[in-house]
Amino acid sequence: MAKEGGGPNWDGLLKWSIANSDGTSKPRNLSEEDRKWFMEAMQAQTIDVVKRMKEITLVMQTPESVLEEQGVSATDIEGMLDELQEHVESIDMANDLHTIGGLAPLLKYLSNSHANIRAKAAEVVTTIVQNNPKSQQLVMDANGMEPLLTNFTSDDDVTVRTKALGAISSLIRHNKPGVTAFRLANGYAGLRDALSSENVRFQRKALNLIQYLIQENPSDCNVVTELGFPRILTHLVGSEDPEVREGALRGLYELSKDKSGKANVSTHEDEEKLKQVLQERINSISIMSAEDLAAVRDERLLVDSLWTTHYNEPSSLREKGLVVLPGDDTDDLPPDVASKMFESPLRGSSRLANSDDKSKKKDAPLLLGP
Protein backbone atom coordinates (compact mmCIF):
# COMPACT_ATOMS: atom_id res chain seq x y z
CA MET A 1 0.00 0.00 0.00
CA ALA A 2 2.86 2.36 -0.68
CA LYS A 3 2.91 4.98 -3.40
CA GLU A 4 5.11 4.61 -6.41
CA GLY A 5 8.45 6.09 -5.49
CA GLY A 6 8.45 4.53 -2.02
CA GLY A 7 6.55 7.19 -0.02
CA PRO A 8 3.66 6.29 2.30
CA ASN A 9 0.17 6.29 0.87
CA TRP A 10 -1.40 8.75 3.30
CA ASP A 11 -4.71 8.89 1.41
CA GLY A 12 -4.96 5.14 1.75
CA LEU A 13 -4.03 5.33 5.42
CA LEU A 14 -6.76 7.90 6.05
CA LYS A 15 -9.41 5.82 4.26
CA TRP A 16 -8.31 2.70 6.12
CA SER A 17 -8.47 4.52 9.47
CA ILE A 18 -11.96 5.86 8.78
CA ALA A 19 -13.19 2.47 7.61
CA ASN A 20 -11.95 0.82 10.77
CA SER A 21 -12.89 3.58 13.24
CA ASP A 22 -16.41 4.61 12.21
CA GLY A 23 -17.80 3.83 15.66
CA THR A 24 -20.45 1.45 14.31
CA SER A 25 -18.67 -1.78 15.05
CA LYS A 26 -16.25 -3.23 17.54
CA PRO A 27 -12.53 -2.83 16.74
CA ARG A 28 -11.24 -5.78 14.77
CA ASN A 29 -7.87 -7.41 14.99
CA LEU A 30 -5.40 -6.28 12.34
CA SER A 31 -4.37 -8.80 9.76
CA GLU A 32 -0.65 -9.39 9.44
CA GLU A 33 -0.73 -7.67 6.04
CA ASP A 34 -2.49 -4.57 7.43
CA ARG A 35 -0.15 -4.41 10.41
CA LYS A 36 2.93 -4.65 8.19
CA TRP A 37 1.63 -1.95 5.85
CA PHE A 38 0.76 0.37 8.72
CA MET A 39 4.16 0.01 10.37
CA GLU A 40 5.97 0.57 7.07
CA ALA A 41 3.93 3.72 6.44
CA MET A 42 4.72 5.13 9.87
CA GLN A 43 8.40 4.18 9.60
CA ALA A 44 8.64 5.86 6.20
CA GLN A 45 7.19 9.06 7.65
CA THR A 46 9.70 8.99 10.52
CA ILE A 47 12.57 8.48 8.12
CA ASP A 48 11.32 11.35 6.00
CA VAL A 49 11.21 13.68 9.02
CA VAL A 50 14.77 12.82 10.06
CA LYS A 51 15.93 13.25 6.49
CA ARG A 52 14.23 16.61 6.27
CA MET A 53 15.74 17.72 9.59
CA LYS A 54 19.17 16.82 8.22
CA GLU A 55 18.48 18.93 5.14
CA ILE A 56 17.42 21.85 7.34
CA THR A 57 20.57 21.38 9.41
CA LEU A 58 22.65 21.60 6.24
CA VAL A 59 21.00 24.92 5.38
CA MET A 60 21.55 26.24 8.91
CA GLN A 61 25.22 25.29 8.70
CA THR A 62 25.67 27.16 5.40
CA PRO A 63 27.19 30.67 5.65
CA GLU A 64 24.68 33.48 5.23
CA SER A 65 26.62 34.90 2.28
CA VAL A 66 26.35 31.60 0.39
CA LEU A 67 22.61 31.41 1.04
CA GLU A 68 22.18 34.95 -0.26
CA GLU A 69 24.12 34.09 -3.42
CA GLN A 70 21.73 31.23 -4.02
CA GLY A 71 18.69 33.44 -3.55
CA VAL A 72 17.70 32.21 -0.10
CA SER A 73 16.12 35.14 1.73
CA ALA A 74 15.52 35.83 5.40
CA THR A 75 11.85 35.03 4.81
CA ASP A 76 12.85 31.64 3.42
CA ILE A 77 14.90 30.95 6.53
CA GLU A 78 11.93 31.88 8.73
CA GLY A 79 9.78 29.40 6.79
CA MET A 80 12.42 26.73 7.26
CA LEU A 81 12.49 27.37 11.01
CA ASP A 82 8.68 27.18 11.06
CA GLU A 83 8.93 23.70 9.60
CA LEU A 84 11.69 22.70 12.00
CA GLN A 85 9.56 23.84 14.91
CA GLU A 86 6.78 21.50 13.82
CA HIS A 87 9.19 18.58 13.61
CA VAL A 88 10.69 19.13 17.08
CA GLU A 89 7.30 19.21 18.77
CA SER A 90 8.02 15.50 19.19
CA ILE A 91 10.37 15.09 22.16
CA ASP A 92 12.26 12.34 20.34
CA MET A 93 12.83 14.60 17.34
CA ALA A 94 13.79 17.48 19.62
CA ASN A 95 16.49 15.34 21.19
CA ASP A 96 17.57 14.01 17.78
CA LEU A 97 18.28 17.53 16.55
CA HIS A 98 21.46 17.58 18.61
CA THR A 99 22.42 14.10 17.39
CA ILE A 100 22.25 15.13 13.74
CA GLY A 101 24.21 18.32 14.41
CA GLY A 102 21.33 20.78 14.16
CA LEU A 103 21.28 22.28 17.66
CA ALA A 104 24.51 24.30 17.44
CA PRO A 105 23.63 26.08 14.17
CA LEU A 106 20.13 26.75 15.48
CA LEU A 107 21.61 28.49 18.52
CA LYS A 108 23.82 30.55 16.20
CA TYR A 109 20.66 31.89 14.57
CA LEU A 110 19.94 33.61 17.89
CA SER A 111 22.69 36.03 16.85
CA ASN A 112 21.55 36.42 13.24
CA SER A 113 21.53 39.91 11.76
CA HIS A 114 17.79 39.64 10.97
CA ALA A 115 15.49 40.27 13.95
CA ASN A 116 12.77 37.97 12.61
CA ILE A 117 15.23 35.07 12.41
CA ARG A 118 16.50 35.73 15.95
CA ALA A 119 12.91 35.71 17.18
CA LYS A 120 11.96 32.57 15.28
CA ALA A 121 15.07 30.72 16.43
CA ALA A 122 14.07 31.46 20.03
CA GLU A 123 10.61 30.04 19.34
CA VAL A 124 12.17 26.81 18.07
CA VAL A 125 14.39 26.61 21.17
CA THR A 126 11.27 27.07 23.32
CA THR A 127 9.62 24.09 21.65
CA ILE A 128 12.75 21.95 21.98
CA VAL A 129 13.27 22.47 25.72
CA GLN A 130 9.67 22.67 26.90
CA ASN A 131 9.07 19.86 29.43
CA ASN A 132 12.17 18.14 28.08
CA PRO A 133 14.98 17.76 30.65
CA LYS A 134 17.35 16.11 28.18
CA SER A 135 17.14 18.94 25.66
CA GLN A 136 17.30 21.50 28.47
CA GLN A 137 20.65 20.01 29.45
CA LEU A 138 21.83 19.87 25.83
CA VAL A 139 21.03 23.56 25.32
CA MET A 140 22.76 24.46 28.59
CA ASP A 141 25.83 22.41 27.60
CA ALA A 142 25.89 24.19 24.22
CA ASN A 143 25.95 27.55 26.03
CA GLY A 144 22.51 28.39 24.68
CA MET A 145 21.60 30.45 27.73
CA GLU A 146 24.11 33.19 26.88
CA PRO A 147 22.63 34.37 23.54
CA LEU A 148 19.12 34.04 24.94
CA LEU A 149 20.00 36.28 27.89
CA THR A 150 21.68 38.78 25.56
CA ASN A 151 18.61 38.96 23.35
CA PHE A 152 16.26 39.14 26.34
CA THR A 153 18.06 42.00 28.05
CA SER A 154 19.50 44.10 25.26
CA ASP A 155 18.06 43.39 21.80
CA ASP A 156 16.71 46.46 20.01
CA ASP A 157 13.62 44.55 18.85
CA VAL A 158 11.00 43.98 21.56
CA THR A 159 9.66 40.89 19.77
CA VAL A 160 13.11 39.32 19.90
CA ARG A 161 13.34 40.17 23.60
CA THR A 162 9.90 38.65 24.23
CA LYS A 163 10.65 35.43 22.35
CA ALA A 164 14.01 35.09 24.10
CA LEU A 165 12.29 35.45 27.46
CA GLY A 166 9.82 32.74 26.46
CA ALA A 167 12.71 30.42 25.60
CA ILE A 168 14.48 31.19 28.88
CA SER A 169 11.29 30.51 30.80
CA SER A 170 10.95 27.06 29.23
CA LEU A 171 14.67 26.36 29.60
CA ILE A 172 14.86 26.98 33.35
CA ARG A 173 11.56 25.50 34.50
CA HIS A 174 12.24 22.49 36.75
CA ASN A 175 15.91 22.99 35.88
CA LYS A 176 17.90 24.08 38.94
CA PRO A 177 21.18 24.71 37.06
CA GLY A 178 19.21 26.85 34.63
CA VAL A 179 17.65 28.90 37.42
CA THR A 180 21.07 29.37 39.01
CA ALA A 181 22.55 30.54 35.70
CA PHE A 182 19.66 32.96 35.25
CA ARG A 183 20.12 34.44 38.70
CA LEU A 184 23.89 34.77 38.35
CA ALA A 185 23.41 36.58 35.04
CA ASN A 186 21.29 39.21 36.81
CA GLY A 187 18.15 37.88 35.18
CA TYR A 188 15.89 39.50 37.75
CA ALA A 189 17.08 42.93 36.61
CA GLY A 190 16.05 41.95 33.09
CA LEU A 191 12.60 40.96 34.36
CA ARG A 192 12.28 44.31 36.08
CA ASP A 193 13.07 46.07 32.81
CA ALA A 194 10.52 43.88 31.01
CA LEU A 195 7.82 44.91 33.47
CA SER A 196 8.73 48.56 32.91
CA SER A 197 8.33 48.24 29.14
CA GLU A 198 5.14 49.26 27.39
CA ASN A 199 4.78 45.96 25.54
CA VAL A 200 1.93 43.89 26.99
CA ARG A 201 3.17 40.53 25.70
CA PHE A 202 6.61 41.18 27.17
CA GLN A 203 5.04 42.11 30.50
CA ARG A 204 2.87 38.98 30.55
CA LYS A 205 5.80 36.63 30.01
CA ALA A 206 7.86 38.41 32.65
CA LEU A 207 5.02 38.20 35.19
CA ASN A 208 4.55 34.48 34.57
CA LEU A 209 8.23 33.77 35.10
CA ILE A 210 8.45 35.96 38.21
CA GLN A 211 5.60 34.08 39.84
CA TYR A 212 7.22 30.73 39.04
CA LEU A 213 10.62 31.79 40.36
CA ILE A 214 9.45 33.12 43.69
CA GLN A 215 7.14 30.14 44.18
CA GLU A 216 10.06 27.77 43.62
CA ASN A 217 12.60 29.94 45.46
CA PRO A 218 10.84 31.88 48.26
CA SER A 219 14.18 33.24 49.44
CA ASP A 220 14.32 35.29 46.23
CA CYS A 221 11.51 37.48 47.57
CA ASN A 222 14.15 39.60 49.27
CA VAL A 223 16.06 40.17 46.02
CA VAL A 224 12.85 40.97 44.17
CA THR A 225 11.87 43.50 46.80
CA GLU A 226 15.28 45.17 46.82
CA LEU A 227 15.07 45.57 43.04
CA GLY A 228 11.83 47.53 43.41
CA PHE A 229 9.40 44.96 42.04
CA PRO A 230 6.57 45.73 44.49
CA ARG A 231 6.21 49.30 43.24
CA ILE A 232 6.24 48.16 39.62
CA LEU A 233 3.73 45.40 40.31
CA THR A 234 1.48 47.84 42.15
CA HIS A 235 1.56 50.12 39.13
CA LEU A 236 0.68 47.21 36.80
CA VAL A 237 -2.40 46.33 38.86
CA GLY A 238 -3.91 49.37 37.14
CA SER A 239 -3.09 48.03 33.65
CA GLU A 240 -5.85 47.94 31.05
CA ASP A 241 -4.78 44.40 30.10
CA PRO A 242 -6.57 41.82 32.30
CA GLU A 243 -3.72 39.28 32.09
CA VAL A 244 -1.18 41.87 33.18
CA ARG A 245 -3.43 42.94 36.07
CA GLU A 246 -3.89 39.38 37.23
CA GLY A 247 -0.18 38.58 36.86
CA ALA A 248 0.75 41.66 38.91
CA LEU A 249 -1.74 40.71 41.62
CA ARG A 250 -0.35 37.18 41.73
CA GLY A 251 3.18 38.52 42.04
CA LEU A 252 2.20 40.80 44.92
CA TYR A 253 0.38 37.94 46.59
CA GLU A 254 3.44 35.67 46.35
CA LEU A 255 5.56 38.42 47.90
CA SER A 256 3.03 38.87 50.70
CA LYS A 257 3.51 35.19 51.67
CA ASP A 258 7.22 35.72 52.44
CA LYS A 259 7.61 34.35 55.96
CA SER A 260 10.92 36.09 56.55
CA GLY A 261 9.14 39.42 56.48
CA LYS A 262 11.92 40.99 54.41
CA ALA A 263 9.73 41.24 51.33
CA ASN A 264 6.97 42.93 53.29
CA VAL A 265 9.05 45.90 54.40
CA SER A 266 7.45 48.88 52.66
CA THR A 267 7.03 52.57 53.32
CA HIS A 268 3.80 54.19 54.37
CA GLU A 269 3.66 55.76 50.93
CA ASP A 270 3.92 52.34 49.25
CA GLU A 271 1.15 50.93 51.43
CA GLU A 272 -1.11 53.86 50.67
CA LYS A 273 -0.45 53.52 46.95
CA LEU A 274 -1.28 49.82 47.05
CA LYS A 275 -4.46 50.53 48.99
CA GLN A 276 -5.47 53.16 46.45
CA VAL A 277 -4.86 50.83 43.51
CA LEU A 278 -6.74 47.95 45.13
CA GLN A 279 -9.66 50.25 45.96
CA GLU A 280 -9.78 51.38 42.34
CA ARG A 281 -9.99 47.76 41.25
CA ILE A 282 -12.72 47.11 43.82
CA ASN A 283 -14.69 50.08 42.49
CA SER A 284 -14.32 48.87 38.90
CA ILE A 285 -15.28 45.29 39.75
CA SER A 286 -18.30 46.44 41.76
CA ILE A 287 -20.00 47.98 38.71
CA MET A 288 -19.21 45.20 36.24
CA SER A 289 -21.85 43.23 34.40
CA ALA A 290 -22.32 39.55 35.19
CA GLU A 291 -20.40 38.62 32.05
CA ASP A 292 -17.45 40.85 32.94
CA LEU A 293 -17.45 39.57 36.52
CA ALA A 294 -17.12 36.02 35.24
CA ALA A 295 -14.11 37.07 33.13
CA VAL A 296 -12.25 38.46 36.17
CA ARG A 297 -12.97 35.56 38.50
CA ASP A 298 -9.38 35.14 39.75
CA GLU A 299 -8.80 38.87 39.94
CA ARG A 300 -11.74 39.23 42.34
CA LEU A 301 -10.29 36.76 44.82
CA LEU A 302 -6.73 38.05 44.46
CA VAL A 303 -7.82 41.62 45.20
CA ASP A 304 -9.73 40.45 48.27
CA SER A 305 -6.85 38.24 49.46
CA LEU A 306 -4.30 41.04 49.11
CA TRP A 307 -6.56 43.48 50.92
CA THR A 308 -7.01 41.01 53.75
CA THR A 309 -3.28 40.27 53.98
CA HIS A 310 -2.23 43.93 54.10
CA TYR A 311 -5.08 45.50 56.08
CA ASN A 312 -6.30 42.59 58.22
CA GLU A 313 -9.91 42.94 57.13
CA PRO A 314 -12.01 41.61 54.24
CA SER A 315 -12.45 43.88 51.28
CA SER A 316 -15.79 45.39 50.39
CA LEU A 317 -15.98 42.86 47.52
CA ARG A 318 -16.63 40.16 50.10
CA GLU A 319 -19.26 42.27 51.82
CA LYS A 320 -20.98 42.73 48.45
CA GLY A 321 -20.82 39.02 47.71
CA LEU A 322 -18.56 39.52 44.67
CA VAL A 323 -15.55 37.43 45.67
CA VAL A 324 -17.08 34.09 44.68
CA LEU A 325 -20.22 34.02 42.59
CA PRO A 326 -22.73 31.21 41.94
CA GLY A 327 -21.30 29.07 39.17
CA ASP A 328 -17.63 29.84 39.93
CA ASP A 329 -15.42 26.75 39.91
CA THR A 330 -13.82 27.11 43.32
CA ASP A 331 -11.47 24.15 42.75
CA ASP A 332 -9.38 26.28 40.40
CA LEU A 333 -9.36 29.57 42.30
CA PRO A 334 -6.20 31.29 43.61
CA PRO A 335 -5.35 30.95 47.32
CA ASP A 336 -7.95 32.58 49.53
CA VAL A 337 -6.53 34.32 52.59
CA ALA A 338 -9.74 35.82 53.88
CA SER A 339 -11.54 32.49 54.11
CA LYS A 340 -9.00 31.31 56.69
CA MET A 341 -9.19 34.50 58.70
CA PHE A 342 -12.94 35.10 58.47
CA GLU A 343 -14.31 31.54 58.22
CA SER A 344 -15.46 31.68 54.62
CA PRO A 345 -16.04 28.26 53.01
CA LEU A 346 -13.93 28.98 49.96
CA ARG A 347 -11.04 26.84 48.89
CA GLY A 348 -8.58 27.04 46.02
CA SER A 349 -5.15 26.61 44.57
CA SER A 350 -3.03 28.89 42.44
CA ARG A 351 -3.31 28.82 38.69
CA LEU A 352 -0.66 29.98 36.16
CA ALA A 353 -1.87 31.03 32.71
CA ASN A 354 0.45 30.90 29.74
CA SER A 355 -0.27 31.05 26.04
CA ASP A 356 1.71 31.23 23.04
CA ASP A 357 1.30 31.69 19.32
CA LYS A 358 1.41 28.98 16.65
CA SER A 359 3.06 30.15 13.49
CA LYS A 360 1.80 29.19 10.07
CA LYS A 361 3.81 26.62 8.13
CA LYS A 362 5.80 27.98 5.19
CA ASP A 363 7.74 26.27 2.42
CA ALA A 364 11.38 25.86 3.37
CA PRO A 365 14.33 26.68 1.10
CA LEU A 366 16.73 24.13 -0.30
CA LEU A 367 20.23 24.78 -1.56
CA LEU A 368 20.30 25.12 -5.32
CA GLY A 369 23.35 22.99 -5.99
CA PRO A 370 27.10 23.44 -5.97
Side-chain angles (χ1 to χ4, degrees):
M1 290 188 179
K3 286 183 179 179
E4 293 183 8
N9 183 355
W10 295 110
D11 289 338
L13 178 59
L14 175 62
K15 292 176 182 177
W16 182 88
S17 299
I18 294 174
N20 290 275
S21 306
D22 60 4
T24 60
S25 60
K26 294 182 179 180
R28 66 177 178 83
N29 293 329
L30 294 178
S31 69
E32 189 59 33
E33 180 182 2
D34 285 339
R35 186 185 304 277
K36 181 179 179 181
W37 169 78
F38 182 81
M39 294 305 297
E40 286 178 351
M42 297 307 297
Q43 184 180 16
Q45 174 66 358
T46 302
I47 293 173
D48 285 348
V49 169
V50 173
K51 179 182 177 182
R52 184 60 184 144
M53 286 173 59
K54 288 181 178 179
E55 293 173 346
I56 291 173
T57 295
L58 177 62
V59 176
M60 292 193 297
Q61 292 171 336
T62 302
E64 189 174 350
S65 59
V66 176
L67 294 177
E68 290 177 353
E69 289 175 1
Q70 298 197 23
V72 179
S73 67
T75 302
D76 294 328
I77 297 298
E78 287 179 63
M80 179 190 72
L81 292 175
D82 265 332
E83 180 186 346
L84 179 61
Q85 185 175 10
E86 291 188 9
H87 295 324
V88 298
E89 285 178 355
S90 159
I91 287 182
D92 290 337
M93 292 301 170
N95 295 336
D96 284 345
L97 184 65
H98 169 72
T99 303
I100 65 177
L103 181 59
L106 171 65
L107 295 177
K108 286 184 178 180
Y109 270 155
L110 293 170
S111 304
N112 192 273
S113 59
H114 297 279
N116 288 347
I117 292 178
R118 296 196 300 275
K120 191 63 198 178
E123 281 192 53
V124 181
V125 172
T126 299
T127 302
I128 289 171
V129 300
Q130 198 162 35
N131 302 318
N132 187 347
K134 181 177 180 179
S135 279
Q136 285 179 334
Q137 187 60 53
L138 289 171
V139 170
M140 295 291 293
D141 291 344
N143 201 30
M145 176 71 86
E146 184 175 342
L148 287 171
L149 283 167
T150 298
N151 289 359
F152 161 49
T153 58
S154 58
D155 201 282
D156 293 334
D157 189 292
V158 70
T159 299
V160 174
R161 296 182 69 187
T162 303
K163 299 297 184 181
L165 176 55
I168 291 170
S169 181
S170 293
L171 178 60
I172 69 176
R173 283 179 186 269
H174 311 296
N175 175 9
K176 290 184 178 180
V179 171
T180 300
F182 180 79
R183 295 172 69 195
L184 291 175
N186 206 18
Y188 275 118
L191 290 174
R192 179 189 59 194
D193 293 342
L195 293 183
S196 300
S197 75
E198 296 182 359
N199 186 279
V200 170
R201 291 182 59 80
F202 201 22
Q203 291 173 337
R204 289 175 185 169
K205 287 189 179 294
L207 288 165
N208 285 334
L209 183 54
I210 290 165
Q211 183 188 0
Y212 170 78
L213 288 172
I214 58 181
Q215 281 179 335
E216 295 294 311
N217 308 279
S219 61
D220 284 359
C221 286
N222 187 34
V223 176
V224 168
T225 300
E226 289 179 354
L227 287 172
F229 277 72
R231 288 187 179 184
I232 300 172
L233 293 172
T234 298
H235 173 73
L236 291 178
V237 171
S239 171
E240 293 183 2
D241 182 79
E243 290 186 39
V244 171
R245 285 200 308 271
E246 185 179 319
L249 288 165
R250 288 180 183 277
L252 287 169
Y253 180 74
E254 291 299 328
L255 291 176
S256 73
K257 296 192 303 184
D258 178 38
K259 295 181 180 180
S260 70
K262 294 179 180 179
N264 294 319
V265 177
S266 58
T267 66
H268 176 73
E269 181 183 355
D270 291 337
E271 283 293 325
E272 286 301 308
K273 179 61 178 177
L274 177 60
K275 190 171 188 177
Q276 176 188 339
V277 170
L278 291 177
Q279 186 60 58
E280 289 173 355
R281 291 311 308 152
I282 290 171
N283 294 341
S284 295
I285 292 170
S286 298
I287 60 174
M288 284 183 176
S289 65
E291 182 179 357
D292 289 339
L293 283 171
V296 296
R297 184 198 65 165
D298 288 3
E299 184 179 343
R300 287 183 265 124
L301 189 52
L302 284 165
V303 167
D304 181 68
S305 295
L306 270 171
W307 187 281
T308 301
T309 299
H310 282 266
Y311 310 114
N312 199 33
E313 64 180 14
S315 75
S316 59
L317 286 179
R318 187 170 294 274
E319 297 170 2
K320 297 173 183 177
L322 296 177
V323 177
V324 177
L325 303 177
D328 281 348
D329 182 2
T330 56
D331 286 330
D332 194 32
L333 286 171
D336 177 21
V337 174
S339 65
K340 299 176 182 178
M341 299 183 66
F342 301 100
E343 299 183 355
S344 173
L346 304 182
R347 54 197 172 91
S349 59
S350 61
R351 179 176 64 88
L352 176 62
N354 196 12
S355 60
D356 207 347
D357 299 333
K358 288 293 291 180
S359 301
K360 294 182 179 180
K361 183 177 180 181
K362 302 177 183 177
D363 294 332
L366 288 176
L367 296 180
L368 303 181

